[in-house]
Amino acid sequence: MQGCSGESEWRTEEGSGVVARLWLKLAGRWPNLPTMSEAQIPGSAVLIESLYEDAQRLEPEAFEARHGSGFLLVSARADSPGGSTSTVMLMGFDQGDPNEHTANLSLVVYPLRAKKGSADPLITMGRQAQHDVVIPDKSVTRFHAFAKVGENGEFLLQDAGSTNGTTVNGASVPPRGTGPPTPLKPGDNVRLGQVEFTFTDARALREFVLQVGGG
């Protein structure tokens, strides 16, 4: 996440295990994260703790087959200030006292996968409910971005002409028709509008869930 100390170290190490270590450092700053109710889960997100049983009983390949191969991690608040219907996504973790943010904070992941029954190779992302990845934040455009799996199995991210833009590690992702998509690697910082995520693969997610759930 942007602003966290040691970010350059996380990105220079090889392998998906770096993402789990990044998350453990993050979770250590908020050791008592509360659980959202099902109604409070933002958009198409999945609560970290809901994956613990599968992480325990499934081998890595089976876990990936069940939940997907790519994910966006974010810390989200369950409150909606000012009567807004938009969930607040917590950003800028190093600003102020972390304890002030803990009350309504949970770790969630957005699986990067198409909805069941979809034959479209594109994984669409946006604020509207019909998309594969639904992110209910005001800074996210109704149809904000899309991803697809490349020939080598990597995720390729493209902006869909959004209002507030898409970046990977601070570099702008070209809107469709203006440049090539941006490949994603585990540990990459992805920003849609003002919402910042960490991209990871299934193995790192499973590792993280087991370590946090077993702690």
Side-chain angles (χ1 to χ4, degrees):
M1 298 284 181
Q2 187 177 26
C4 293
S5 62
E7 184 178 52
S8 60
E9 295 179 12
W10 300 333
R11 293 193 184 137
T12 56
E13 295 183 50
E14 296 293 327
S16 60
V18 63
V19 183
R21 290 192 292 274
L22 182 158
W23 292 352
L24 288 171
K25 291 180 182 179
L26 176 64
R29 297 178 64 181
W30 292 275
N32 299 307
L33 298 179
T35 301
M36 287 181 176
S37 68
E38 184 175 350
Q40 292 173 321
I41 298 174
S44 60
V46 176
L47 285 170
I48 285 290
E49 54 264 34
S50 72
L51 300 174
Y52 183 63
E53 182 178 347
D54 280 351
Q56 277 190 309
R57 69 183 182 85
L58 298 177
E59 294 298 320
E61 294 78 10
F63 183 88
E64 179 174 336
R66 182 178 180 87
H67 295 287
S69 57
F71 303 85
L72 296 174
L73 170 77
V74 68
S75 294
R77 296 192 195 191
D79 56 335
S80 298
S84 168
T85 58
S86 176
T87 299
V88 174
M89 303 295 183
L90 184 71
M91 296 169 287
F93 292 120
D94 58 346
Q95 297 177 4
D97 183 359
N99 293 326
E100 295 177 0
H101 303 300
T102 303
N104 297 306
L105 179 65
S106 289
L107 288 174
V108 298
V109 290
Y110 287 85
L112 293 180
R113 65 189 312 180
K115 291 182 177 179
K116 289 183 178 180
S118 174
D120 194 330
L122 299 182
I123 302 166
T124 61
M125 310 176 201
R127 204 171 68 239
Q128 289 186 319
Q130 72 262 30
H131 293 300
D132 301 309
V133 181
V134 182
I135 306 166
D137 187 89
K138 287 182 176 180
S139 69
V140 175
T141 303
R142 290 179 176 87
F143 177 27
H144 194 103
F146 57 90
K148 62 181 180 180
V149 179
E151 294 181 358
N152 298 320
E154 78 278 25
F155 279 86
L156 303 173
L157 181 65
Q158 188 95 59
D159 187 81
S162 66
T163 301
N164 294 316
T166 303
T167 66
V168 174
N169 299 332
S172 294
V173 175
R176 55 184 171 180
T178 67
T182 300
L184 297 178
K185 304 181 302 297
D188 280 350
N189 178 282
V190 177
R191 181 176 62 81
L192 304 180
Q194 296 179 7
V195 185
E196 295 197 22
F197 306 86
T198 298
F199 173 75
T200 188
D201 59 17
R203 287 181 179 270
L205 176 64
R206 179 177 175 273
E207 177 186 344
F208 170 69
V209 171
L210 286 172
Q211 292 188 53
V212 171

